[in-house]
Amino acid sequence: MTRIRWHIVVFLAPAVIVYTAVMVFPLFNTLRLALYARAEEGRVFVGLDNFRTLFFDPVWADQFWNALGNNFWFFLVHMLVQNPIGIALAALLSHPRLRFAALYRSAIFIPTILSFVIVGFAWKLILSPIWGIAPSMLDAVGLKALFAPWLGREEYALTTLALISVWQFVGIPMMLIYAALLSIPDEILEAGEVDGITGLAAFWKIKLPLILPSIGIISILTFVGNFNAFDLIYAAQGALAGPDFSTDILGTFMYRTFFGFQLQLGDPHMGSAIAGAMFAIILVGVCLYLFGIQSRMRRYQL
Amino acid sequence: MSSARRNPLNAAAMHGALILYTLIALFPVFVILINSFKERRAIFREPLALPDGESFSLIGYQTVLKQGDFLLYFQNSMIVTVGSLFFILLFGAMAAYALSEYRFRGSLLMGLYLALGIMIPIRIGTVAILEMMVATGLVNTLWALILVYTAQGLPLAVFILSEFMRQVSDDLKNAGRIDGLSEYTIFFRLVLPLVRPAMATVAVFNMIPIWNDLWFPLILAPSEETKTLTLGSQVFIGQFVTDWNAVLSALSMAILPVLVLYVIFSRQLIRGITSGAVK
């Protein structure tokens, strides 16, 4: 007979209870709520009807696929702009003879600590044609013709917001890659130097393969963060994600559906269905990463 | 290694690129801060000029302090952030100790269960969280936020702290046991002080996202008495869109506390990230 060691229970209980009650249980409860619909009194079980409505009913499906497509574009801009810039900055910062590295590092990280509200409004003001900072700066370099009210135009708004988000979060890939680069032992680089591999060649041939696992982690963090994003769009464009829903992503779509806006009433069950779709997308992404990428990636023993 | 020393042009190019990006990173913050101290006409006439004797004005700050209850919002944000950090660290360290110190049936499974939450965002469960908070009467209280942020922060905290606790020497703990200390005393008196650096890392990681969150304050605690600084400035700015002085001042007032915290904790934060705590 095994004796219960009570102190283990006491140590584990608070964390497990809070985590289960506030995170795990509501997560599954939300997925369950997605299978119901509001009725005259209380709710009725409707199976997968909500998902059918979400994916195929013309009124809902248009909005859903629009938000999903926008979300993928949002993610793509991060992958193509944020992560390469972050890697480039980290490569520069990790140069052993660079002076003021700590200063640059701290300054470039500042946008990351600001809230979306500050970032959203600050950029809205700077890009605003009324204030004219952006047009007059473009004018100074002779490119005034390029200016457009980027946040107000359907074709540019989403990309502009994605780039603002890139501006804000570039510090995270920069820091993680920087840490990975610092952990590469000097002997390896010196061995390369003896063989005549220096400078850019050393980066492409020696350092990049060694930091691939970190790039993988950054990609999955970006993926989860982007498919869960809401705040920046809400702060800059409001719950309607204007102009004409061109900046609508899954987070804003779920918020609008769940809480309602203007004339549309909030619907917790459709909101749950959208949350279910988000959960599935994130789960697929995380599984692809864990089983498809991470387990196949070559890890070098350093 | 020595290419920068050999080639001064190379070093200049590196500094050029870094300075350019630093300017891009700081420019918006700089523009907001300097214009918040200027009168309305100067904001539009010369947005990039520093405030001088003629254009200096605090009118925006006066509007903000008169109209918005920023002191209360600030206090709410403080309570929520400090409260959540306290529970994340206490509960997280206790669970991490149980997982790293004792072998028991299901310990591996328990570790996996707690680690699941690192990748799955808590926002997915928002509909049911709100329903639960309404049912328990916690909606529009700061407790709702503290509970949610504690649950959100625990998985990563347990993960990081248990890694560190594995490194605490067994001899020390066993010496305590021989001296007749209880398991609780060993944890609180011997182990906790030794993992303080890791606790600071966890605290700094959690502090910024909690302070800046807009989603949960908007949904769980939007009432006037419980607004956090982030939500409060969002609502305030939304109402005063056309009053540029007020908007710029409100933004500056939201930026400053975070900047001060960053200056205090940036070494801890950067050391935390670069020590490879998130592997």
Side-chain angles (χ1 to χ4, degrees), chain A residues 16-285:
Chain A
V16 173
I17 290 172
V18 172
Y19 172 69
T20 309
V22 187
M23 185 156 175
V24 179
F25 173 70
L27 185 64
F28 286 103
N29 204 15
T30 301
L31 298 180
R32 189 182 64 90
L33 284 173
L35 305 178
Y36 288 79
R38 217 192 320 237
E40 302 268 318
E41 267 176 53
R43 53 194 177 214
V44 289
F45 183 80
V46 293
L48 295 173
D49 268 7
N50 288 335
F51 289 98
R52 200 171 303 138
T53 312
L54 189 62
F55 299 146
F56 304 112
D57 180 279
V59 180
W60 287 93
D62 279 359
Q63 289 198 65
F64 175 74
W65 297 115
N66 171 48
L68 186 65
N70 286 344
N71 223 146
F72 268 108
W73 177 245
F74 198 69
F75 171 61
L76 203 67
V77 172
H78 280 80
M79 287 300 283
L80 294 181
V81 183
Q82 171 186 285
N83 296 347
I85 292 183
I87 295 168
L89 287 171
L92 289 177
L93 283 176
S94 65
H95 197 282
R97 298 255 171 243
L98 186 80
R99 298 178 67 194
F100 309 120
L103 201 67
Y104 289 129
R105 207 176 51 193
S106 307
I108 293 173
F109 202 71
I110 283 184
T112 310
I113 60 162
L114 300 178
S115 81
F116 298 93
V117 174
I118 299 170
V119 171
F121 275 103
W123 277 102
K124 221 172 141 173
L125 296 183
I126 286 168
L127 296 177
S128 150
I130 305 174
W131 199 5
I133 288 198
S136 63
M137 285 183 74
L138 282 175
D139 198 18
V141 284
L143 292 173
K144 191 167 188 199
L146 280 183
F147 181 76
W150 286 300
L151 280 173
R153 293 271 280 276
E154 265 178 61
E155 61 269 41
Y156 302 132
L158 181 65
T159 312
T160 310
L161 282 168
L163 290 174
I164 293 173
S165 170
V166 165
W167 171 82
Q168 182 178 10
F169 286 115
V170 85
I172 292 178
M174 178 187 83
M175 288 292 187
L176 294 175
I177 294 292
Y178 175 69
L181 286 172
L182 286 190
S183 69
I184 298 176
D186 283 345
E187 297 85 64
I188 294 184
L189 299 174
E190 277 158 17
E193 217 166 303
V194 171
D195 290 341
I197 305 170
T198 54
L200 268 182
F203 177 77
W204 289 110
K205 293 198 175 138
I206 304 176
K207 293 179 186 169
L208 198 63
L210 289 173
I211 58 170
L212 274 183
S214 301
I215 295 178
I217 290 173
I218 289 165
S219 308
I220 190 64
L221 287 178
T222 312
F223 181 82
V224 174
N226 284 164
F227 276 87
N228 174 31
F230 160 81
D231 309 52
L232 178 67
I233 312 265
Y234 181 79
Q237 308 289 64
L240 283 173
D244 193 23
F245 300 112
S246 60
T247 57
D248 201 19
I249 56 172
L250 290 172
T252 44
F253 182 41
M254 167 168 131
Y255 177 81
R256 251 194 349 263
T257 308
F258 172 29
F259 272 93
F261 67 103
Q262 294 173 359
L263 295 174
Q264 181 188 337
L265 276 176
D267 183 343
H269 300 293
M270 283 308 283
S272 301
I274 299 171
M278 288 164 77
F279 181 64
I281 292 168
I282 290 175
L283 211 60
V284 168

Side-chain angles (χ1 to χ4, degrees), chain B residues 169-212:
Chain B
S169 96
D170 283 334
D171 292 348
L172 181 75
K173 286 172 280 192
N174 289 335
R177 291 195 179 103
I178 291 166
D179 286 348
L181 298 181
S182 73
E183 294 296 317
Y184 305 109
T185 321
I186 292 173
F187 170 68
F188 282 107
R189 289 281 166 74
L190 299 181
V191 178
L192 266 195
L194 286 174
V195 295
R196 261 207 313 244
M199 307 256 285
T201 302
V202 172
V204 175
F205 272 148
N206 279 293
M207 191 166 69
I208 297 165
I210 294 176
W211 182 276
N212 285 340

